């Protein structure tokens, strides 16, 4: 309840940040900045190249959400109910309960206004928190995506839908591709926050697909700003790995059970009592290190004489197995 109240309290005060996540590692980072982490059915196009979000299944949403749950600690986690999973009150409740039980998310999101108002009411009556979604509704759109709220009739319909959703108890409404004046009017008509995507600065918060804003997903969308070219950074890392494996610079050369006064980097005491040096990046360095193998055995206060003897014998055993050229 605290998380919902915090989001409501931001209306007219500070902007609400909502970001998508489809897996744990991204969710962990997104969680640091977001008020709401959304497991959107946009994962169908972003991850699976589906031509429409209509192809996304409940199982796919649940599996991705389970992973996201592992990364979300502080934000409110919302999961999209996929197409055809909330056609009736009975199916909506059965599927929403399944999503919440299996993913431990805080709320579900349903697309639509009056057409789905009975299901929204039924879910909320059954203690399932719901987020609304108006404007462009990808699950109901065949063909080209177009912005909404262009005519006064459309604006009236959107405001009426938003008020109906608010009346039934949704805690926030996503406005997707709603023209700026319409988004402003809807936002001003409501006590609950609106979260815009391609719907102007007048919304109470903003949501973007994280893969889009980080440049992981390179499809061009008019309203998306790319804040980072993550693909470029990934390529730098992968090229480096590939080149170091080919030149045998990686993996590091190892030298076990070996003492020296030298301050080595990445030194770990390993289970059998020896040292494990990971700082030898070139085979030539190994020869240099051979000069000092026993220099510190005696002065090391960490081990008894017996332990030193053990280490010494380990050293010889391992020395022969080193990957020398
Ligand atoms: O599926 C999704 O990611 C969404 C956002 C774009 C709002 O619904």
């Amino acid at each position: 309840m605290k998380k919902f109240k915090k989001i409501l309290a931001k209306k007219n005060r500070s902007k609400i940040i909502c970001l998508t996540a489809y897996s744990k590692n991204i969710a962990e980072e997104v969680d640091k900045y977001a008020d709401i982490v959304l497991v959107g059915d946009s994962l169908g196009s972003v991850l699976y190249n589906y031509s429409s979000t209509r192809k996304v299944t409940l199982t796919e949403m649940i599996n991705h959400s389970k992973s996201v749950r592992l990364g979300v600690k502080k934000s409110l986690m919302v999961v999209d109910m996929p197409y055809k999973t909330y056609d009736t009150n009975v199916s909506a409740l059965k599927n929403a309960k399944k999503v919440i039980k299996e993913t431990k998310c805080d709320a579900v999101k349903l697309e639509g206004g009056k057409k789905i108002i009975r299901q929204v009411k039924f879910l909320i009556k059954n203690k399932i928190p719901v987020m609304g979604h108006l404007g462009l509704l990808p699950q109901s759109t065949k063909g080209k995506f177009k912005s909404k709220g262009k005519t006064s009739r459309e604006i009236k319909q959107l405001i009426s839908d938003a008020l109906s959703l608010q009346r039934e108890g949704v805690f926030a409404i996503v406005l997707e591709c709603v023209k700026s004046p319409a988004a402003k009017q809807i936002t001003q008509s409501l006590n609950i926050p609106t979260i815009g995507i391609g719907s102007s600065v007048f919304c109470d918060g903003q949501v973007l697909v994280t893969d889009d804003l980080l440049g992981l997903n390179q499809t061009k969308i008019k309203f998306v700003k790319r804040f980072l070219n993550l693909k470029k950074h990934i390529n730098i890392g992968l090229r480096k790995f590939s080149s170091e494996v080919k030149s045998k610079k990686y993996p590091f050369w190892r030298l076990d059970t070996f003492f020296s006064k030298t301050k080595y980097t990445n030194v770990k005491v390993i289970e059998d009592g020896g040292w494990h040096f990971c700082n030898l990046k070139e085979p030539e360095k190994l020869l240099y290190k051979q000069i000092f193998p026993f220099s510190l055995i005696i002065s090391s206060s960490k081990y008894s004489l017996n332990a030193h003897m053990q280490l010494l014998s380990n050293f010889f055993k391992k020395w022969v197995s080193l990957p020398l050229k």
Side-chain angles (χ1 to χ4, degrees):
M1 270 304 127
K2 239 165 95 183
K3 286 181 190 171
F4 291 101
K5 279 191 181 153
K6 235 172 109 181
I7 286 161
L8 279 172
K10 288 199 166 189
K11 174 112 187 158
N12 301 324
R13 286 199 179 87
S14 57
K15 291 284 184 187
I16 296 162
I17 308 296
C18 178
L19 287 161
T20 64
Y22 310 136
S23 60
K24 185 194 83 171
N25 294 338
I26 290 284
E28 259 171 12
E29 303 315 309
V30 159
D31 187 46
K32 296 173 190 166
Y33 301 93
D35 300 293
I36 302 169
V37 176
L38 171 69
V39 188
D41 60 357
S42 52
L43 64 82
S45 49
V46 177
L47 301 184
Y48 296 102
N49 283 357
Y50 293 164
S51 53
S52 156
T53 55
R54 288 181 177 213
K55 295 190 175 157
V56 175
T57 64
L58 196 65
T59 308
E60 282 166 339
M61 289 308 295
I62 288 174
N63 287 342
H64 281 281
S65 302
K66 278 184 184 168
S67 173
V68 168
R69 181 72 275 175
L70 300 174
V72 177
K73 300 283 178 280
K74 70 155 193 45
S75 315
L76 188 96
M77 181 177 154
V78 180
V79 175
D80 261 346
M81 293 290 291
Y83 182 59
K84 287 272 174 216
T85 60
Y86 50 98
D87 282 352
T88 64
N89 285 359
V90 174
S91 67
L93 185 61
K94 180 177 149 244
N95 291 322
K97 271 188 170 171
K98 186 174 162 75
V99 168
I100 292 194
K101 186 169 173 232
E102 293 192 26
T103 72
K104 311 270 181 296
C105 68
D106 300 295
V108 291
K109 177 163 78 64
L110 273 59
E111 288 184 13
K114 293 231 168 66
K115 276 191 191 152
I116 57 149
I117 206 71
R118 278 186 306 111
Q119 291 92 309
V120 171
K121 186 176 179 173
F122 194 62
L123 289 183
I124 294 172
K125 200 176 129 206
N126 282 282
K127 306 212 167 358
I128 310 267
V130 176
M131 187 181 202
H133 185 147
L134 293 174
L136 174 71
L137 308 175
Q139 289 179 10
S140 320
T141 308
K142 280 189 195 152
K144 237 181 144 199
F145 284 1
K146 287 188 186 136
S147 49
K148 303 288 169 183
K150 285 185 208 150
T151 62
S152 54
R153 197 160 152 242
E154 261 182 24
I155 298 174
K156 248 174 136 179
Q157 182 63 53
L158 281 168
I159 294 176
S160 157
D161 280 345
L163 287 170
S164 299
L165 288 171
Q166 174 175 269
R167 201 174 312 119
E168 298 311 338
V170 304
F171 69 91
I173 301 175
V174 167
L175 296 182
E176 182 163 354
C177 295
V178 172
K179 286 281 176 195
S180 172
K184 188 177 180 180
Q185 280 188 60
I186 298 164
T187 302
Q188 286 174 347
S189 319
L190 297 172
N191 303 318
I192 53 166
T194 57
I195 315 287
I197 173 159
S199 300
S200 87
V201 72
F202 296 112
C203 297
D204 298 301
Q206 294 294 323
V207 54
L208 271 188
V209 169
T210 303
D211 294 52
D212 290 341
L213 79 91
L214 293 182
L216 260 179
N217 191 33
Q218 305 258 333
T219 43
K220 287 214 161 42
I221 301 166
K222 220 162 69 182
F223 55 79
V224 170
K225 177 173 174 182
R226 194 189 287 167
F227 291 81
L228 181 74
N229 191 347
L230 192 53
K231 268 222 162 143
K232 194 173 123 193
H233 289 277
I234 288 175
N235 272 287
I236 292 170
L238 297 182
R239 197 178 309 122
K240 226 169 154 199
F241 170 76
S242 157
S243 130
E244 290 198 11
V245 169
K246 285 176 188 161
S247 66
K248 296 187 188 159
K249 211 171 164 189
Y250 182 84
F252 305 125
W253 289 77
R254 290 174 39 167
L255 201 51
D256 292 330
T257 321
F258 172 28
F259 289 88
S260 159
K261 262 185 183 151
T262 317
K263 292 268 181 272
Y264 290 100
T265 54
N266 298 327
V267 179
K268 273 191 222 153
V269 177
I270 56 172
E271 269 176 16
D272 66 358
W275 296 96
H276 177 109
F277 297 100
C278 302
N279 66 327
L280 295 173
K281 293 185 180 137
E282 293 144 27
E284 291 70 32
K285 294 236 171 87
L286 193 63
L287 297 171
Y288 167 73
K289 305 278 181 202
Q290 274 180 319
I291 305 164
F292 306 104
F294 312 113
S295 62
L296 244 169
I297 288 183
I298 304 305
S299 61
S300 164
S301 57
K302 219 171 165 171
Y303 297 100
S304 66
L305 192 62
N306 265 356
H308 284 139
M309 295 314 286
Q310 184 62 48
L311 293 174
L312 208 55
S313 86
N314 280 349
F315 167 71
F316 281 116
K317 266 189 249 153
K318 284 184 180 167
W319 189 255
V320 289
S321 65
L322 282 169
L324 281 165
K325 263 185 176 172

